[in-house]
Amino acid sequence: MFTEIIEILDRFLSFFEQSLAFLGHHLFLIFGLLAIVASVTMVFAKNAVHSVLAFLATMICTAACYFTLQAEFLAVAQLLVYAGGIVVLFLFVVMLVELSRFKENRLFQRQTPLAMFVVLLGVVGFLTMFRRLIFAPSASEALTLSPELAEGLDVAGQNAQAISRGMFTGYLLPFETMSVILLIALIGAVVLAKQERV
Amino acid sequence: MPFAQALWESLARDSRLVTPVILLWLAGTLMLWPLGSLLLKRMPKDRWAFFTVAILLLSGWFVINTPNAIGFADMFRVDGVTKGFQILCIAAGILTVALGRQQLGALKEHSVEYYSLIIFSISGMLLLVGATDLVSIYFAVELMALCVYILVGYLRTQERAVEASIKYFLLGAFSSGILLFGISLIFAATGGTTTNLERLGQAIALAPGNQDLLVFSGVLMVLIGFAFKVAAVPFHMWSPDAYEGAPTPVTAFMSMAPKAAALAAFIRIFGTGFNGVAENWIAPLSFIAAASMILGNIAAFKQQSIKRMLAYSSIGHVGYMLLGVLAMDSQAGAQAVWFYMMTYLFMQAGAFAIVIYLQGANEGERIEDFKGLAKRRPLLAFAMMVFMLSLAGIPPLLGFFSKFYLFRLAIIEGYITLTVIALLTSAAAAYYYLNVVAQMYFKEPGEAAPPPVCICTKAIVALCSAVLLVGTAFGPWIMDWVGKIVWG
């Protein structure tokens, strides 16, 4: 009796362990799927607040994806900036702005069949692409990252260092350009919102 | 610290390549603060036009004196093509500022921000035409386009301006997403090592066979992203609305500068980066070029608004210029496109100067408003005729030579069908251009007395028609000089 219970518990534990290991190996896929589900929810949610919450879930799942790829810095930045800052702003805006007026407004209804067709075409195209990529004979070889990049992943411990080096050496010009782009966004907000001009 | 020292040395070496850009960034920022909002607050706002022109001229001088080199970890390259297109963008900026001064003054919509946005947009174009890496290309495109989105909605009290701006912004953001997705697919397909165009060209050739589809979809998406930016059919939907809704000087700007810069990047990407996988993009691009020529020119027929007509005709012109991208020889293609863009810039600037004059005269922007212009303002009407005939490519005007060299290149490269389509559509296009001329010369004018012509309009019209007429005399030789500029 006692041994049987132990055996069942043991089996259960090993099954649990195995499934945990399975999950651990496929965390990226799981969080990726969750992110997709959340983003679809965001698009189709009737209530704007639900939509924003789904957006938050998408952002957190994306951050988790970065974690599984050992890009800790990116993941933390994603959590801080998007999940922490931007989504809260969105929530504020949604709560301040009266959205009930737009509820009955069914925009773009005429184009729905065409849009469905295009989306189906895209889905079929991408499924074909993934099938050919994943089940092709030399797939395992082609899908592995190049040695140089794999080395980069080995030093994932110094993730922030690697990113900062990239920003100030190889990617200096795009990085500086991006700072100007942010400035333009600021100017644009002022130009479009300022009351009088003279 | 060896790392910091090496960083500093490479920065000192590379920053010479982008002196004009740094100048524009500094000037654009200083204009906002402290000059515009603190030190020169009392200065009349339209003076900033002169300041902007001076800054642009100075940056043009810097462009000419930049050494030919590659820098920023192979992300930016200065050569003849870069310099040639950079000068075109700066010239377009100067013409825009001159075009807009009077109209913005009449609308009481002058502000420092307008000029600084133009400066920042041009800095993005200067970066774009020299960019040799998909990452730097993407950021330069964004910098260039973001400023133009804002400028389109600049007259934010007008409903159609806001509508045009939002439409343009949403579609532009969408196309940027497609462009970025395409870049990431190519990056993955080539092993995730490089985004540099030259190395990418080699890596694509070495990519394993089962990556074909990945490369194909990536190249196609980059193609779509750029077709959006140059407003080629079937990705042209935003262009007529954005052209109509934007303030007219900004419309002129949109039809000249971003197109020149995007076409230069187009040639660089597809000429050097994706040269090895030409079979992936030749057919779609040929389709895009042919569709742009046909649809752009046919749709221009029935337009009542001259701004919409010029928008559709610019779609047609982009179709012609894509012939230069299709020519796999990127130097010769760049040369022909540069020459075409140069003449197109002067024709557009001149035509828009006259449209702005008519708008200032409280007449709308409909083609009917041109009626009888020959009786009221014979010189302006003559200049408009020159611009229209040149846009139609009627010999012996300069517009004919630019078309001639482009079509000759296309024939040499073996695109016979496309060239035939181009010839037929440009013959058909003569109809709607000549319609404007007929309105001016064969219709009776309205009663109202013609308003005075502002000095800026006079200067631009005189400059543009002089370039076109004098250039006509040197048409047969001009290509050699262009060659000297573009080959560097």
Side-chain angles (χ1 to χ4, degrees), chain B residues 447-476:
Chain B
E447 255 86 86
V453 188
C454 125
I455 181 82
C456 282
T457 313
K458 266 185 202 164
I460 293 171
V461 171
L463 172 76
C464 296
S465 45
V467 166
L468 292 178
L469 290 173
V470 173
T472 301
F474 298 102

Side-chain angles (χ1 to χ4, degrees), chain A residues 129 146 168 187 194-195 197, chain B residues 7 32 109 154 156 193:
Chain A
M129 195 164 93
S146 65
F168 289 102
I187 300 171
K194 208 162 88 175
Q195 284 296 318
R197 217 158 239 167
Chain B
L7 204 67
L32 296 168
E109 290 280 7
Y154 184 71
R156 68 222 183 290
T193 47

Side-chain angles (χ1 to χ4, degrees), chain B residues 64-110:
Chain B
I64 294 168
N65 287 305
T66 311
N68 286 0
I70 305 177
F72 291 106
D74 296 344
M75 286 215 171
F76 192 80
R77 179 195 177 102
V78 178
D79 54 14
V81 178
T82 309
K83 284 185 186 179
F85 278 99
Q86 282 184 335
I87 288 187
L88 278 191
C89 296
I90 289 172
I94 292 172
L95 287 171
T96 308
V97 172
L99 277 174
R101 188 173 160 267
Q102 209 229 345
Q103 195 179 35
L104 287 181
L107 293 170
K108 297 207 190 312
E109 290 280 7
H110 266 299

Side-chain angles (χ1 to χ4, degrees), chain B residues 320 323-324 327 329 332-333 335-337 339-340 400-416 418-420 422-423 475-480 482-483 487:
Chain B
Y320 302 140
L323 287 177
D329 186 351
Q335 196 178 339
V337 169
F339 181 40
Y340 198 99
F400 163 74
F401 285 104
S402 61
K403 275 203 174 73
F404 172 76
Y405 288 118
L406 204 53
F407 293 173
R408 194 184 66 164
L409 179 71
I411 289 177
I412 291 173
E413 299 291 335
Y415 297 102
I416 307 293
L418 273 182
T419 317
V420 171
L423 281 173
W477 299 281
I478 212 161
M479 203 61 182
D480 299 334
V482 172
W487 290 86

Side-chain angles (χ1 to χ4, degrees), chain B residues 174-378:
Chain B
F174 191 60
S175 73
S176 293
I178 293 178
L179 178 66
L180 205 54
F181 197 15
I183 291 173
S184 66
L185 285 183
I186 293 167
F187 181 67
T190 52
T193 47
T194 181
T195 45
N196 183 279
L197 285 177
E198 270 173 42
R199 288 200 288 276
L200 208 57
Q202 296 159 3
I204 285 177
L206 295 176
N210 62 338
Q211 307 283 35
D212 275 356
L213 206 57
L214 212 54
V215 172
F216 176 66
S217 8
V219 170
L220 208 61
M221 282 180 168
V222 173
L223 179 65
I224 289 172
F226 269 92
F228 256 113
K229 297 291 175 213
V230 298
V233 179
F235 311 106
H236 65 288
M237 298 302 185
W238 57 270
S239 136
D241 291 331
Y243 273 47
E244 202 188 7
T248 316
V250 175
T251 312
F253 185 62
M254 281 164 74
S255 73
M256 302 186 290
K259 270 189 186 150
L263 274 165
F266 216 132
I267 292 173
R268 219 186 266 281
I269 292 179
F270 287 86
T272 56
F274 302 158
N275 213 343
V277 285
E279 71 277 2
N280 280 346
W281 53 268
I282 287 281
L285 188 56
S286 307
F287 167 74
I288 288 175
S292 306
M293 293 173 204
I294 295 171
L295 197 135
N297 284 318
I298 300 288
F301 268 42
K302 55 171 193 202
Q303 300 304 325
Q304 301 295 316
S305 151
I306 185 122
K307 276 163 90 175
R308 279 187 93 86
M309 188 202 95
L310 286 173
Y312 277 110
S313 92
S314 91
I315 293 172
H317 284 283
V318 163
Y320 302 140
M321 281 185 269
L322 288 180
L323 287 177
V325 182
L326 276 167
M328 298 286 288
D329 186 351
S330 73
Q331 276 288 352
Q335 196 178 339
V337 169
W338 190 87
F339 181 40
Y340 198 99
M341 204 64 226
M342 197 265 290
T343 52
Y344 183 67
L345 191 142
F346 285 110
M347 300 185 289
Q348 285 286 91
F352 271 109
I354 294 172
V355 173
I356 287 172
Y357 162 71
L358 284 180
Q359 276 185 334
N362 278 328
E363 299 188 45
E365 51 201 44
R366 296 182 320 155
I367 293 174
E368 282 173 23
D369 297 329
F370 279 85
K371 70 181 179 211
L373 192 68
K375 293 224 171 62
R376 293 152 70 189
R377 294 272 166 206

Side-chain angles (χ1 to χ4, degrees), chain B residues 430-453:
Chain B
Y431 169 76
Y432 59 81
Y433 289 124
L434 288 178
N435 183 24
V436 178
V437 177
Q439 290 279 350
M440 289 190 304
Y441 278 88
F442 304 128
K443 293 276 168 70
E444 285 304 312
E447 255 86 86
V453 188

